[in-house]
Amino acid sequence: MPESLDPTQRAHASGETQPAHNERRDRLITGVVTLVPFAGLGLASWQMWDGLLRLSDVAVFTILYLLSGLGVTVGFHRLFTHRSFKTTHAVRAIFAVLGSMAIEGPVISWVADHRKHHAFSDRDGDPHSPHVDHGAGWRGALRGLYHAHVGWLFIHTHRGSHRRYASDLLADPVVEFVNRTFLLWAVAGLAAAFALGGAIGGTWRAAFTGLLWGGAVRMLVLHHMTYSVNSLCHFFGRHDYRTEDHSRNLALLAIPTLGEAWHNNHHAFPTSASHGLGARQLDLSALVIRALQRLGLAWDVIGVSEQRRVSKRRLPA
């Protein structure tokens, strides 16, 4: 490979990184998706302060947070990225759509980035490690946490190549269609918030506040819970199993991340359908997969034997 190439060009030439055809446009879209929910949070805070929060708003937020969140955790992550279980074409389509409604990017891009994260976890090439090339001391730690949390979304130096990391999904007509029509499903998620607000609250005002809570606020909370797995769960918490990275189990985030915060467990056993491996490690996403299995809608569900867990468990210091 020519020495004259800069690091970005070398990454693209290696076939590991997805080229950005219009990086300025992509950064603008990322900025809008990142910042607009904060404006929604301001409106929601004013609404709560003024005593205008409705039960219908809470209901819309909860319903759409769970649906779109499970679309990411069960669909994008455990089904499409790690193939932790098998299911029908219809269920695959539903999870691909629900995950797209979270507006964290199209499914194939999400999967390619996450598979690359596992291939280079906390090493050069990881799209969002808080530990690589951010400097030493507390300033380096803060720069690393910012990069892993949200900064990496604005650069394309290490984004996963679709052909290298998600060729199976490019060949899947159902997933490829949902990926290609991502904008439709993103808008559909916002429309669902508006419709649910009106249906539950019974007024046009409830429809608009439903859009606020089930749209902007739901996006803000869900995005930052997902980002926290990339940042906080590689910095704080328990390192219960031996891995070659800095992944951690962060119990405080287990419920809002729907089980994803058992992140050291996940890096130790990446194909496991359950990330919560202990009796007290609540994993809502794993419970959904088990429910699908009981209904005959999921099979070949991958688990972790006690023997494998013991073999990788870290001994007390």
Side-chain angles (χ1 to χ4, degrees):
M1 191 175 297
E3 294 295 330
S4 59
L5 296 180
D6 64 34
T8 301
Q9 291 171 325
R10 291 171 67 85
H12 291 337
S14 71
E16 294 283 342
T17 303
Q18 183 69 18
H21 298 295
N22 192 330
E23 193 164 0
R24 180 175 296 179
R25 180 204 61 194
D26 292 347
R27 286 176 173 172
L28 178 62
I29 293 171
T30 300
V32 170
V33 171
T34 301
L35 295 175
V36 166
F38 281 100
L41 179 63
L43 287 173
S45 299
W46 167 80
Q47 184 188 10
M48 293 175 65
W49 182 266
D50 210 34
L52 300 176
L53 180 65
R54 301 161 178 263
L55 287 177
S56 62
D57 299 327
V58 177
V60 173
F61 171 85
T62 303
I63 291 169
L64 286 175
Y65 185 89
L66 288 173
L67 288 176
S68 58
L70 290 168
V72 172
T73 62
V74 175
F76 280 22
H77 194 196
R78 307 189 195 195
L79 174 61
F80 296 122
T81 301
H82 295 291
R83 294 171 282 201
S84 299
F85 65 99
K86 295 178 182 178
T87 187
T88 66
H89 290 299
V91 173
R92 285 172 66 85
I94 289 169
F95 276 117
V97 166
L98 290 176
S100 299
M101 288 167 57
I103 316 185
E104 294 187 5
V107 55
I108 292 177
S109 296
W110 200 103
V111 168
D113 287 340
H114 193 72
R115 287 178 177 172
K116 191 168 188 282
H117 164 63
H118 276 268
F120 296 93
S121 186
D122 288 327
R123 295 181 289 118
D124 187 36
D126 187 338
H128 45 67
S129 172
H131 297 282
V132 179
D133 294 334
H134 303 298
W138 66 268
R139 290 184 179 178
L142 290 177
R143 280 195 294 267
L145 285 169
Y146 168 78
H147 170 78
H149 196 77
V150 70
W152 74 281
L153 296 170
F154 293 89
I155 58 177
H156 293 78
T157 308
H158 292 300
R159 305 300 288 271
S161 165
H162 296 178
R163 292 197 177 279
R164 169 70 176 84
Y165 289 101
S167 59
D168 56 323
L169 299 183
L170 288 171
D172 185 319
V174 173
V175 176
E176 196 280 330
F177 171 76
V178 176
N179 182 81
R180 183 163 28 93
T181 53
F182 167 73
L183 183 60
L184 171 64
W185 310 116
V187 173
L190 300 177
F194 183 85
L196 268 176
I200 297 173
T203 66
W204 284 107
R205 182 171 184 173
F208 282 105
T209 58
L211 177 60
L212 173 64
W213 283 89
V217 178
R218 179 261 308 179
M219 282 173 54
L220 178 72
V221 177
L222 182 56
H223 285 183
H224 287 277
M225 286 299 104
T226 301
Y227 303 161
S228 292
V229 175
N230 297 337
S231 58
L232 300 181
C233 290
H234 275 261
F235 224 94
F236 305 103
R238 294 175 57 88
H239 193 71
D240 295 323
Y241 292 96
R242 288 180 286 104
T243 62
E244 296 182 356
D245 54 40
H246 297 275
S247 57
R248 296 289 189 272
N249 291 331
L250 194 52
L252 288 174
L253 294 180
I255 292 177
T257 61
L258 309 179
E260 298 288 277
W262 304 116
H263 200 52
N264 175 241
N265 295 353
H266 170 54
H267 272 259
F269 310 103
T271 61
S272 174
S274 178
H275 296 182
L277 300 179
R280 298 182 180 179
Q281 294 183 341
L282 180 61
D283 184 348
L284 294 176
S285 298
L287 293 177
V288 169
I289 295 171
R290 287 176 200 162
L292 290 172
Q293 187 176 23
R294 291 191 184 98
L295 293 170
L297 295 174
W299 56 91
D300 293 346
V301 178
I302 298 175
V304 182
S305 68
E306 181 63 23
Q307 183 179 4
R308 285 186 65 206
R309 289 171 56 187
V310 169
S311 70
K312 294 203 74 170
R313 190 172 291 133
R314 294 180 73 236
L315 295 176

